[in-house]
Amino acid sequence: MRSPLSFLCILMFVILFYGCSDISQKQIVLHQTEHEISTNEGEILLQIDDIPSMVQVDAEVEFGASERFTEAVMQPQGEWFAVTTAGISHGAGWLVDRDQNQIYPAAFQYGGSVEAGPWSESGEFAVFINIGPAPSQTLSVATMSQPGRTVNENSMNVRISDHSGSVPPESVYEPIRWDDEMLVFEVDGIRYKFDPVDNEVTAQD
């Protein structure tokens, strides 16, 4: 008969191994310095000089936000990866097509920074975490379906209905996990789902 201590050890293992729902546990984080992105095996994937000096937010607006790398996360399928960069005042996120060697603007934060969030399991969607100066934290979801030249073409802002006009200062949007291509996220302790196909937010059941 197993002792109570052995049962406790087994229970703790199960909780640690299976109980974590944060999809970031499944992400392939690449090796990154301020000027270079590489695989853990040493293959160089991208250098900071490869990134455009200006991030094109829309057809008319652009900002400098590409002085150094801050993060890099590989798509589950390994064909694309997301990188984030920082300038003197602003942050940006980018999608990189490894096969075509193409770089697309995917996120921008004025006066703040951008972090790479979780990819969906299909590899179709990537989350970026936008940390503003308010302070506040919001989310955007980028898609690889028809990449364009601007951030606004390539990504969708994730907003609950109460924040459709503007996001109040100190609001925090936190990505939790992907569930059947729906992003589960949390705002001020309440969970929601974002459907990137319909660009729609609903309360989590």
Side-chain angles (χ1 to χ4, degrees), residues 109-176:
Q109 179 58 58
Y110 183 89
S113 61
V114 177
E115 296 179 358
W119 285 85
S120 65
E121 293 187 6
S122 70
E124 179 67 25
F125 305 104
V127 177
F128 289 94
I129 303 166
N130 308 299
I131 303 172
S136 63
Q137 177 174 298
T138 59
L139 305 174
S140 57
V141 172
T143 177
M144 275 60 64
S145 58
Q146 293 181 321
R149 294 178 52 253
T150 70
V151 171
N152 288 353
E153 289 178 277
N154 298 329
S155 68
M156 300 163 278
N157 291 324
V158 179
R159 298 289 186 271
I160 61 175
S161 59
D162 290 347
H163 298 171
S164 57
S166 62
V167 178
E170 301 186 2
S171 290
V172 174
Y173 283 63
E174 192 71 39
I176 303 300

Side-chain angles (χ1 to χ4, degrees), residues 186-197:
E186 188 172 284
V187 182
D188 302 329
I190 302 174
R191 290 196 175 185
Y192 302 85
K193 281 188 174 182
F194 174 70
D195 182 351
V197 175

Side-chain angles (χ1 to χ4, degrees), residues 21-201:
S21 61
D22 188 346
I23 198 168
S24 65
Q25 298 286 322
K26 304 176 183 177
Q27 302 305 293
I28 305 169
V29 179
L30 297 169
H31 180 70
Q32 158 260 318
T33 68
E34 288 192 351
H35 300 101
E36 189 175 272
I37 303 295
S38 62
T39 65
N40 292 329
E41 291 74 32
E43 177 190 356
I44 297 175
L45 300 177
L46 196 67
Q47 295 181 326
I48 194 64
D49 291 341
D50 299 327
I51 298 288
S53 60
M54 307 292 283
V55 55
Q56 197 77 35
V57 180
D58 59 30
E60 299 179 352
V61 178
E62 61 180 20
F63 293 92
S66 310
E67 292 194 357
R68 63 188 183 277
F69 289 121
T70 56
E71 216 170 2
V73 179
M74 183 72 75
Q75 176 200 48
Q77 290 74 14
E79 299 171 353
W80 291 70
F81 59 96
V83 298
T84 57
T85 57
I88 296 175
S89 303
H90 316 302
W94 311 80
L95 296 176
V96 183
D97 184 341
R98 293 182 67 185
D99 292 337
Q100 302 299 321
N101 197 28
Q102 294 290 319
I103 302 169
Y104 302 96
F108 174 74
Q109 179 58 58
Y110 183 89
S113 61
V114 177
E115 296 179 358
W119 285 85
S120 65
E121 293 187 6
S122 70
E124 179 67 25
F125 305 104
V127 177
F128 289 94
I129 303 166
N130 308 299
I131 303 172
S136 63
Q137 177 174 298
T138 59
L139 305 174
S140 57
V141 172
T143 177
M144 275 60 64
S145 58
Q146 293 181 321
R149 294 178 52 253
T150 70
V151 171
N152 288 353
E153 289 178 277
N154 298 329
S155 68
M156 300 163 278
N157 291 324
V158 179
R159 298 289 186 271
I160 61 175
S161 59
D162 290 347
H163 298 171
S164 57
S166 62
V167 178
E170 301 186 2
S171 290
V172 174
Y173 283 63
E174 192 71 39
I176 303 300
R177 64 178 181 275
W178 284 94
D179 183 6
D180 293 332
E181 295 300 281
M182 303 270 281
L183 175 65
V184 179
F185 67 99
E186 188 172 284
V187 182
D188 302 329
I190 302 174
R191 290 196 175 185
Y192 302 85
K193 281 188 174 182
F194 174 70
D195 182 351
V197 175
D198 294 330
N199 194 6
E200 184 177 62
V201 170

